[in-house]
Amino acid sequence: MNTIFYIAGGVAIISSLLAITNRNAIHALLYLILSLLSISVIFYILGAPFSAALEVIVYAGAIMVLFIFVVMMLNIGLEEEQENKWLTPRMWIVPSILALALLIIFIYVLKEFQFEKTTADIIGPKQVGIKMFTKYLLAVEISAILLLAGIIGGYHLGKQKKKVLHRFIDNIRKI
Amino acid sequence: MKFVFIIAGVLISVLTIAAGLIYVERRLLALFQDRLGPNRVGPFGLLQVIADMIKIFFKEDWIPPFADKAVFVMAPGILIATILLTFAVIPFADNFIVLDSNIGLLFFLGNSSLGVYSIVLGGWASNNKYSLLGSIRASAQMLTYEVFMGLSLVGVIMMADSFSLRDIVEAQRGGWFVIPQFVGFVIFFIAGIAETHRTPFDIPEADGELVAGYHSEYSGMKFGMFFVGEYMGVTLISALIATLFFGGWLGPSFLPPAFWFFLKTAFFICMFILIRASLPRPRYDQLMELGWKVLLPLVLLNILITGGVLIYTHSL
Amino acid sequence: MLSILRSIWYTFLHAFHKRETQGYPEKLPYLPPRYRGRIILSRDSDGNERCVACNLCAAVCPVDCIALQAANDENGRRYPEFFRINFSRCIYCGFCEEACPTYAIQLIPDFEMGEYDRQNMVYEKEHLLISGEGKYHGYNFYNVAGVDMGVKGTGKGENEEAPVDLKNLIH
């Protein structure tokens, strides 16, 4: 189990790094997908098969497809000049400070709190479902409302008014 | 040892069926169109499969110089890998199953959603406008129909109380799920056709408008992998329909259980081919409209009614 | 929705219809007697060539696939010295058959003329000439023609008057 964990973790870290450093947008996204898949393997061996499956279906399967879809439509090439223009050294200051703060907290937590070894209780889909609709019902409802708002917003944006009555009538008006 | 045997059995049977379907489809299409189909090579043209295979193996495997080579090579492999992986969770018989997982159905859905990449990346890496159009259509179509595919199975999952395909088959000893879940079955079938992008929903290929869609630039065995992958997808969806709605390997005991499973699967493969022979291809927006305006409300209603009935019967 | 199911059902019923496919090499198709296929040159009932090398067929041919050279034999009878049809050009229109005054050139119900070498599609006279009379039995051009070619004397024909004596004013 441990070796699988280390292999999956290593793949996740390397592919995440490659996703950041790669210049080709699609290749970077592919590395990101690989990273998500290896994280789902980690979920599985930690005893959470349901979230492993959801990771693949939702993140790797649906969201990343949309990412690739958009990148394909935009036809992003290798535009380094613009990037070089935008990424001045000054831009790095604020993110670096924030990341440093997170790193300090992370080290502090690791040092102060003693975790017990994770017991690999397998949490099946059924337990997840029961928890979602009892203990975490409020969170589920809130996210459902948020998604509903998203759907309505998407519908509104996508709705098109009929602008042209008929191509001849429209042309006459232009003349 | 038994494990290896099962894996080999599943692999060999799936690949044989998929390769054989090349011949079967042509013969059946001919049958529905008052023709004879391939009958030259060997008895009844049966060796046509081998002839096709030899041809496709020895064709020049050409990668266009303008293509993104790594992605171009990878794309057909993704398709084959995802489909073959899914067969691991399908029970061919009571104990003839590679991986009896408690997330079997989710495993199928995850793999089918990864299968989209094959087509999307194949079209993108070809660097050809028709391929790109095909893959853009494919990504929209397959994402949409994945939603209904997942939702149409919720009724079955609720009735069987499990994601494991083996438990779902066992739960059908009292009666096939096609009777209480008829709406789910119809929607799963439609979504399955769209997911394997078979005619009438072959909009990503649409040879009338897009040359051959996402695989326009593919040749040789890479094209062969797309080609066989489509038939494997058809086999997969048929096997899942047989498992989820028609009682899988269950059947009268005078024949072995695996035989019943193959019989049901073969029936739905024939249905796929019959539908291909009879229906024309809808327009892209019509397909999306059918999905979001007809199938989605229907499938949600199906879930609601199934849930209500289940709660009512449990409370009695 | 119903129409979709109906069209699937009707397509299924086609499985029990008669096959439209012709099993050609094994089962030869029926060709009507007037089918326009390979071109032949026929002989009359006496076994002589019907062709009189009048060149009408070559003139009427829309693709110019017929070539021939006229010659006279020792009796003064016209015959083609060579007669060449390039079947890779021929469109089987049948104009040559219509134009022929002697029923010599005829199109017969045979279309199996495939060749591997294109040059083999050029048929010479010995390939074209058959020993029979083709479609028109008992017909001999010189039976109805005005000239004496050893078939019948001048003016001896059925609906033929005796030749006019040009040196006599009284008939």
Side-chain angles (χ1 to χ4, degrees):
Chain A
M1 242 9 156
N2 263 338
T3 39
I4 295 172
F5 172 80
Y6 284 122
I7 292 168
V11 170
I13 290 167
I14 293 167
S15 55
S16 303
L17 281 174
L18 285 169
I20 297 164
T21 52
N22 208 306
R23 283 202 179 125
N24 189 324
I26 293 266
H27 288 186
L29 280 173
L30 284 178
Y31 282 120
L32 192 54
I33 293 160
L34 190 61
S35 154
L36 288 169
L37 287 179
S38 49
I39 286 168
S40 104
V41 173
I42 293 173
F43 273 138
Y44 194 88
I45 55 178
L46 284 178
F50 188 67
S51 22
L54 282 191
E55 177 95 12
V56 175
I57 295 171
V58 177
Y59 286 102
I63 293 174
M64 296 315 292
V65 174
L66 289 178
F67 268 65
I68 287 188
F69 186 73
V70 171
V71 171
M72 270 178 6
M73 297 274 262
L74 294 181
N75 195 16
I76 293 173
L78 298 169
E79 293 168 4
E80 288 175 55
E81 288 173 30
Q82 203 170 34
E83 252 177 39
N84 283 338
K85 223 182 286 171
W86 285 352
L87 292 175
T88 49
R90 269 196 330 158
M91 295 291 292
W92 292 103
I93 298 170
V94 180
S96 322
I97 293 167
L98 292 177
L100 205 68
L102 265 181
L103 186 68
I104 291 163
I105 293 168
F106 188 58
I107 291 166
Y108 175 74
V109 167
L110 280 182
K111 219 178 163 193
E112 291 301 305
F113 295 91
Q114 292 297 318
F115 290 109
E116 288 164 29
K117 238 183 176 181
T118 45
T119 45
D121 280 342
I122 291 169
I123 298 162
K126 210 167 187 172
Q127 286 101 305
V128 175
I130 288 166
K131 275 270 151 57
M132 286 234 280
F133 283 95
T134 52
K135 199 175 170 188
Y136 300 111
L137 186 61
L138 189 67
V140 171
E141 287 295 332
I142 287 170
S143 52
I145 289 167
L146 196 69
L147 286 174
L148 188 66
I151 291 170
I152 292 168
Y155 177 71
H156 181 71
L157 289 175
K159 204 171 72 174
Q160 286 181 345
K161 279 177 199 148
K162 207 178 173 187
K163 289 167 201 152
V164 181
L165 270 169
H166 189 275
R167 58 182 194 280
F168 295 139
I169 299 169
D170 198 53
N171 285 340
I172 289 163
R173 274 183 194 154
K174 269 178 200 160
I175 294 161
Chain B
M1 194 58 220
K2 189 165 172 277
F3 189 62
V4 175
F5 173 70
I6 288 173
I7 289 179
V10 169
L11 259 182
I12 289 167
S13 54
V14 167
L15 288 175
T16 319
I17 289 169
L21 273 182
I22 299 169
Y23 163 76
V24 170
E25 163 147 60
R26 288 169 68 183
R27 258 333 256 252
L28 277 181
L29 277 181
L31 185 72
F32 297 133
Q33 293 167 351
D34 300 348
R35 297 184 285 115
L36 289 177
N39 60 351
R40 299 277 113 192
V41 196
F44 303 105
L46 271 170
L47 297 178
Q48 184 73 44
V49 183
I50 295 162
D52 280 349
M53 278 292 138
I54 291 170
K55 185 194 81 172
I56 222 160
F57 270 113
F58 287 97
K59 262 188 167 180
E60 185 189 1
D61 203 347
W62 187 67
I63 299 175
F66 45 81
D68 187 326
K69 282 204 180 53
V71 182
F72 188 85
V73 174
M74 206 168 61
I78 296 174
L79 185 73
I80 299 281
T82 50
I83 292 172
L84 277 181
L85 274 176
T86 314
F87 275 103
V89 294
I90 290 176
F92 283 58
D94 195 8
N95 46 13
F96 200 82
I97 173 170
V98 177
L99 173 72
D100 182 18
S101 169
N102 59 345
I103 54 159
L105 259 186
L106 291 174
F107 188 75
F108 155 64
L109 288 173
N111 267 322
S112 78
S113 59
L114 286 182
V116 183
Y117 284 119
S118 161
I119 287 142
V120 172
L121 294 176
W124 177 80
S126 300
N127 218 343
N128 169 322
K129 58 185 144 190
Y130 294 114
S131 303
L132 189 67
L133 276 175
S135 62
I136 285 172
R137 286 178 180 194
S139 56
Q141 174 188 334
M142 290 174 83
L143 270 182
T144 306
Y145 276 83
E146 231 159 63
V147 175
F148 317 130
M149 186 174 247
L151 286 177
S152 63
L153 297 178
V154 172
V156 171
I157 295 160
M158 284 200 286
M159 290 185 73
D161 214 13
S162 170
F163 280 111
S164 160
L165 284 154
R166 202 167 159 276
D167 293 350
I168 288 171
V169 174
E170 287 293 340
Q172 295 181 66
R173 282 206 186 276
W176 290 353
F177 279 162
V178 67
I179 299 152
Q181 286 295 323
F182 188 72
V183 179
F185 159 64
V186 171
I187 291 172
F188 184 79
F189 200 7
I190 293 170
I193 297 171
E195 197 66 15
T196 49
H197 40 87
R198 291 271 304 172
T199 352
F201 295 150
D202 64 342
I203 290 168
E205 288 166 52
D207 32 6
E209 344 166 351
L210 295 182
V211 193
Y214 58 90
H215 58 58
S216 296
E217 297 288 350
Y218 280 88
S219 58
M221 200 48 217
K222 290 198 201 68
F223 167 75
M225 276 158 95
F226 274 127
F227 193 55
V228 173
E230 183 181 321
Y231 288 115
M232 288 195 335
V234 171
T235 317
L236 174 67
I237 299 291
S238 306
L240 273 167
I241 291 171
T243 313
L244 295 167
F245 297 100
F246 288 85
W249 73 81
L250 300 178
S253 60
F254 58 85
L255 285 170
F259 184 81
W260 282 112
F261 177 76
F262 279 118
L263 201 69
K264 289 167 184 173
T265 308
F267 175 76
F268 286 105
I269 291 172
C270 293
M271 280 304 290
F272 262 95
I273 294 166
L274 174 57
I275 286 170
R276 175 179 175 172
S278 46
L279 295 183
R281 181 190 309 135
R283 228 166 44 215
Y284 175 69
D285 60 314
Q286 288 170 333
L287 181 78
M288 288 291 149
E289 215 152 275
L290 171 76
W292 292 110
K293 292 186 181 165
V294 180
L295 297 185
L296 186 67
L298 261 180
V299 81
L300 289 177
L301 208 67
N302 181 41
I303 293 170
L304 189 72
I305 292 169
T306 313
V309 170
L310 279 179
I311 289 172
Y312 180 71
T313 47
H314 275 282
S315 65
L316 279 182
Chain C
M1 186 67 209
L2 254 175
S3 70
I4 289 173
L5 289 180
R6 198 184 54 187
S7 58
I8 292 175
W9 173 246
Y10 281 151
T11 313
F12 175 69
L13 287 184
H14 269 276
F16 308 106
H17 284 199
K18 197 180 140 279
R19 302 292 95 182
E20 295 290 346
T21 311
Q22 312 253 332
Y24 161 58
E26 290 90 29
K27 269 189 230 153
L28 294 174
Y30 167 72
L31 295 177
R34 292 196 195 174
Y35 185 92
R36 297 203 305 264
R38 181 161 61 87
I39 296 171
I40 49 111
L41 287 174
S42 56
R43 291 174 191 272
D44 61 23
S45 32
D46 302 331
N48 299 318
E49 284 176 44
R50 269 174 174 163
C51 182
V52 293
C54 65
N55 265 310
L56 279 174
C57 50
V60 80
C61 181
V63 290
D64 288 346
C65 69
I66 303 178
L68 69 151
Q69 173 68 54
N72 288 56
D73 66 3
E74 58 272 21
N75 303 325
R77 178 170 169 155
R78 273 168 73 89
Y79 75 101
E81 198 175 10
F82 68 83
F83 198 106
R84 189 177 295 143
I85 296 181
N86 184 352
F87 276 108
S88 62
R89 299 188 119 205
C90 181
I91 58 171
Y92 305 97
C93 61
F95 283 8
C96 46
E97 183 174 10
E98 283 181 40
C100 185
T102 65
Y103 289 145
I105 192 162
Q106 294 178 10
L107 274 70
I108 57 163
D110 172 28
F111 59 91
E112 293 167 319
M113 307 171 66
E115 294 284 355
Y116 284 104
D117 187 2
R118 196 170 292 175
Q119 205 53 42
N120 293 342
M121 294 292 283
V122 179
Y123 280 41
E124 295 295 339
K125 192 168 136 188
E126 64 261 32
H127 310 123
L128 293 165
L129 203 61
I130 60 167
S131 52
E133 294 178 82
K135 295 181 214 171
Y136 305 99
H137 289 276
Y139 177 82
N140 191 335
F141 175 67
Y142 291 106
N143 263 332
V144 290
V147 287
D148 180 9
M149 220 29 100
V151 179
K152 69 161 180 57
T154 311
K156 297 278 159 51
E158 213 171 286
N159 293 320
E160 198 180 1
E161 291 171 3
V164 177
D165 187 0
L166 294 174
K167 292 174 178 132
N168 193 348
L169 288 170
I170 307 156
H171 291 291

